């Protein structure tokens, strides 16, 4: 928990402030309003855990990626080593490329359709997929596939995966998708079952023999079932408080706090466990009259958050004295060695 209001926010144990509330989790989503410092907080959490010996993957789902800029390294659509800690922990980073993700997704769909459809329908299928590229929800569905893959990768090969998410509206839509897409796939499979049973019966009547065992769409069925199972697993993970937590970052000002409280309510409706609230860029109380006045105003907003969400811990992170860029600076920030002057 943060120190009482009116006292300096950061001590040399800042890494423990980040580490302790998130310890034991396997998946963390770091989210909030745009511009509140989500990428910095996600990376600082990753560094803190790596410093304790964990293997950490930090993944950016924000189309306007800042992860590579923050670490001052090139980050790709596959895991890239960002930092190795002396205690044998490390941080890998990955920026989900929405365009490449959608291209791969549609290419896989087209490959399947070409095998399932007669050649005369291939051109029509390609035209349909081009339209699907621009359809509402295509981007989110494709990104969700990669998020689900990253969750599986994190659980299989890392101790912790930290998602640096897009601004709140996009992230909430993304977190709502697994359940919706699982239900949609269930309905599609049920509809195909009915259609195929009817078609099989008609073929049997026409030929005088039972063809109910024929299944020309077996590959498509397997693809749908795999997607349903993947989304179902992801839904189970993101709603499991033993595995997953949402870290909600805000700056202690009236409008960001109002949006933060709205996000917290939406997370509750999605059954996504809210683990931690982070009041970022707290002004120091001992930095002159201007910063002292800001600190006191900010304290009122932090108190508002605490009173509205009393079950969730709130911690303060400081206004940094320098730009937080690069692995060494991130490690210093996570350890509380960078504070406002």
């Amino acid at each position: 928990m943060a120190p009482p209001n009116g006292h300096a926010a950061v001590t040399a144990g800042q890494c423990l402030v980040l580490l302790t509330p998130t310890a034991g989790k396997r998946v963390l989503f770091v989210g909030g309003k745009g511009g509140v410092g989500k990428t910095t907080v996600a990376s600082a959490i990753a560094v803190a855990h790596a410093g304790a010996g964990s293997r950490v993957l930090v993944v950016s789902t924000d189309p306007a990626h800042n992860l590579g800029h923050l670490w001052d390294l090139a980050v790709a659509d596959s895991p890239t080593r960002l930092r190795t800690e002396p205690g044998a922990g490390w941080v890998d980073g990955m920026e989900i490329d929405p365009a490449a993700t959608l291209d791969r997704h549609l290419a896989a769909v087209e490959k399947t359709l070409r095998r399932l459809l007669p050649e005369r329908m291939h051109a029509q299928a390609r035209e349909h997929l081009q339209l699907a590229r621009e359809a509402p929800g295509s981007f989110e569905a494709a990104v969700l596939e990669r998020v689900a893959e990253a969750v599986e990768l994190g659980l299989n090969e890392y101790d912790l995966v930290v998602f640096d998410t897009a601004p709140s509206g996009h992230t909430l839509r993304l977190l709502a998708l697994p359940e919706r897409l699982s239900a949609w796939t269930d309905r599609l499979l049920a509809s195909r079952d009915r259609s195929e049973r009817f078609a099989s019966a008609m073929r049997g009547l026409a030929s005088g023999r039972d063809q109910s065992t024929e299944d020309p769409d077996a590959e498509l069925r397997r693809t749908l079932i795999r997607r349903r199972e993947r989304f179902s697993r992801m839904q189970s993970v993101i709603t499991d408080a033993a595995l997953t937590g949402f870290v909600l970052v805000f700056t202690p000002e009236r409008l960001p706090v109002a949006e933060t409280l709205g996000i917290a309510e939406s997370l509750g409706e999605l059954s996504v466990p809210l683990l931690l609230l982070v009041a970022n860029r707290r002004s120091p109380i001992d930095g002159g009259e201007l910063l002292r006045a800001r600190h006191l105003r900010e304290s009122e907003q932090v108190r508002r958050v605490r009173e509205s969400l009393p079950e969730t811990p709130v911690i303060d992170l400081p206004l940094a004295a320098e730009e937080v860029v690069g692995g060494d600076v991130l490690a210093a920030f996570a350890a509380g060695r960078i504070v406002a002057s």
Side-chain angles (χ1 to χ4, degrees), residues 26 57 59 78-79 94 146-158 161:
R26 299 294 311 280
L57 175 65
V59 181
S78 56
M94 185 167 75
R146 291 290 283 129
V147 171
E149 290 172 4
V151 167
E152 293 175 1
L153 177 66
L155 292 175
N156 291 333
E157 299 185 19
Y158 293 86
V161 56

Side-chain angles (χ1 to χ4, degrees), residues 5-71:
N5 289 331
H7 296 278
V10 176
T11 69
Q14 186 68 60
C15 56
L16 293 179
V17 173
L18 289 170
L19 189 62
T20 302
T22 57
K25 303 302 179 187
R26 299 294 311 280
V27 179
L28 294 174
F29 290 90
V30 179
K33 180 178 170 63
V36 296
K38 297 184 294 296
T39 305
T40 301
V41 172
S43 295
I45 290 172
V47 169
H49 278 268
S54 293
R55 302 162 299 170
V56 186
L57 175 65
V58 58
V59 181
S60 172
T61 69
D62 190 345
H65 293 302
N66 291 311
L67 193 62
H69 299 302
L70 181 74
W71 284 86

Side-chain angles (χ1 to χ4, degrees), residues 18 29-45 162-168 246-253 255-261 263-264 267 274-282 305 309 312-318 333:
L18 289 170
F29 290 90
V30 179
K33 180 178 170 63
V36 296
K38 297 184 294 296
T39 305
T40 301
V41 172
S43 295
I45 290 172
V162 183
F163 287 95
D164 167 33
T165 70
S168 52
F246 199 100
V247 178
L248 190 46
V249 184
F250 66 96
T251 50
E253 302 164 276
L255 291 180
V257 163
E259 185 166 334
T260 296
L261 297 179
I263 297 168
L267 291 172
L274 179 57
L275 177 67
L276 181 66
L277 293 148
V278 177
N280 197 25
R281 301 177 189 146
R282 287 286 268 127
V305 171
L309 300 166
T312 306
V314 183
I315 66 169
D316 290 356
L317 291 182
F333 177 76

Side-chain angles (χ1 to χ4, degrees), residues 81-248:
R81 184 60 45 89
L82 300 178
R83 184 175 179 85
T84 301
E85 294 290 341
W90 67 78
V91 180
D92 287 351
M94 185 167 75
E95 291 184 340
I96 291 177
D97 184 335
T101 298
L102 189 54
D103 286 343
R104 285 194 300 268
H105 177 72
L106 293 178
V109 172
E110 181 177 356
K111 185 177 179 181
T112 300
L113 288 177
R114 287 177 66 87
R115 285 198 295 265
L116 295 175
L117 295 174
E119 187 173 353
R120 68 178 185 277
M121 297 184 67
H122 288 180
Q124 183 179 350
R126 281 195 298 272
E127 182 180 351
H128 174 77
L129 290 174
Q130 286 301 319
L131 292 174
R133 183 183 300 276
E134 306 301 327
S138 293
F139 167 83
E140 286 86 354
V143 171
L144 183 65
E145 288 272 9
R146 291 290 283 129
V147 171
E149 290 172 4
V151 167
E152 293 175 1
L153 177 66
L155 292 175
N156 291 333
E157 299 185 19
Y158 293 86
D159 300 305
L160 173 66
V161 56
V162 183
F163 287 95
D164 167 33
T165 70
S168 52
H170 180 274
T171 297
L172 291 173
R173 288 194 299 275
L174 197 66
L175 291 176
L177 271 178
E179 184 175 12
R180 293 175 183 173
L181 288 177
S182 292
W184 175 83
T185 305
D186 282 340
R187 290 194 296 270
L188 181 59
L189 284 167
S191 175
R192 292 192 66 80
D193 282 343
R194 289 192 296 270
S195 298
E196 288 163 11
R197 283 197 300 269
F198 178 78
S200 179
M202 291 300 99
R203 289 194 299 268
L205 286 173
S207 65
R209 58 188 176 90
D210 181 12
Q211 298 186 12
S212 58
T213 58
E214 294 183 8
D215 189 358
D217 294 341
E219 185 174 356
L220 180 58
R221 175 186 294 279
R222 286 194 297 270
T223 300
L224 288 172
I225 290 173
R226 281 196 300 270
R227 292 192 79 205
R228 181 186 63 186
E229 291 174 348
R230 170 169 281 172
F231 293 146
S232 180
R233 285 195 302 271
M234 183 177 175
Q235 179 67 17
S236 296
V237 168
I238 67 177
T239 57
D240 185 346
L243 286 175
T244 302
F246 199 100
V247 178
L248 190 46

